[in-house]
Amino acid sequence: MSRNSSLVVAVCLLFAGCSVNEVMVAVETELEVAVVPKEEAMLLDIGIVEFDAGIPDKNDPEETQVYDEIRQAESRYLAYHLKSTLQDTGHWGAVRVVPSVNAFTDVTLRGRIETSDGEFVKLHVTARDAAGQVWLENTYETQTGMSSYSERRDRRLDPYQKVFNDIANDLLAYVQALPPGDVPRVRQVSELQFFADMAPLQYSEHLSSDEDGMVTILR
């Protein structure tokens, strides 16, 4: 084998080795966006609790590479970016970031950061409606591409956008599979929960909850 041929082989092997760990372009998921506006009565509101930062107990940043201030900032950023993604779909009513699961809303979404280092992200996400029904409990993850942080990238797209789109599409798939009467019932439950908190004497007996947290409308 000539010297030039050996050099070509060496270069090819070098790039092949890099490609195992580095992705040039991140995998994308197309976001399902409403083509025709829905009736307002069929739009459920969503409350997104600021994500659990997932900071280990007795965290040692030098060992875990998890830095408290960065993770706390990410917990807020991820929640707000998911909020923007859900709003852009046109499939939901008001989408807000809420301080806790005790906020009165039709659907509450919680998330925990399992991994987030700029290249990999893994989130554990749970969504539950006001009636106590769990919509989803999944782990979402993606790897960013080398182009995700380039100077010429589309700055409208977040490097983790695939995760947000996956969550939004799964929520849509669930609500679309619900029986026709479930969406109005969920709205009624969240409204009665709000009224019961504001005026317990008048509304405290309108709802009943079982041991599993499932809520039934009594009157």
Side-chain angles (χ1 to χ4, degrees), residues 71-89:
R71 274 295 181 89
Q72 294 293 350
E74 285 183 319
S75 69
R76 297 186 291 271
Y77 169 80
L78 292 169
Y80 277 94
H81 199 87
L82 178 57
K83 165 186 172 289
S84 298
T85 300
L86 291 171
Q87 283 181 326
D88 290 344
T89 66

Side-chain angles (χ1 to χ4, degrees), residues 28-108:
E28 297 181 2
T29 298
E30 184 176 355
L31 183 64
E32 297 288 340
V33 178
V35 178
V36 179
K38 293 185 176 181
E39 296 181 14
E40 184 175 352
M42 298 303 293
L43 296 176
L44 294 174
D45 297 338
I46 297 180
I48 303 172
V49 183
E50 286 189 3
F51 283 21
D52 182 334
I55 300 172
D57 294 334
K58 299 180 180 179
N59 181 45
D60 181 359
E62 295 299 323
E63 180 178 332
T64 64
Q65 298 299 302
V66 175
Y67 298 90
D68 292 22
E69 291 184 2
I70 295 176
R71 274 295 181 89
Q72 294 293 350
E74 285 183 319
S75 69
R76 297 186 291 271
Y77 169 80
L78 292 169
Y80 277 94
H81 199 87
L82 178 57
K83 165 186 172 289
S84 298
T85 300
L86 291 171
Q87 283 181 326
D88 290 344
T89 66
H91 291 296
W92 308 100
V95 184
R96 304 181 181 91
V97 176
V98 296
S100 72
V101 293
N102 296 322
F104 298 106
T105 189
D106 300 328
V107 180
T108 301

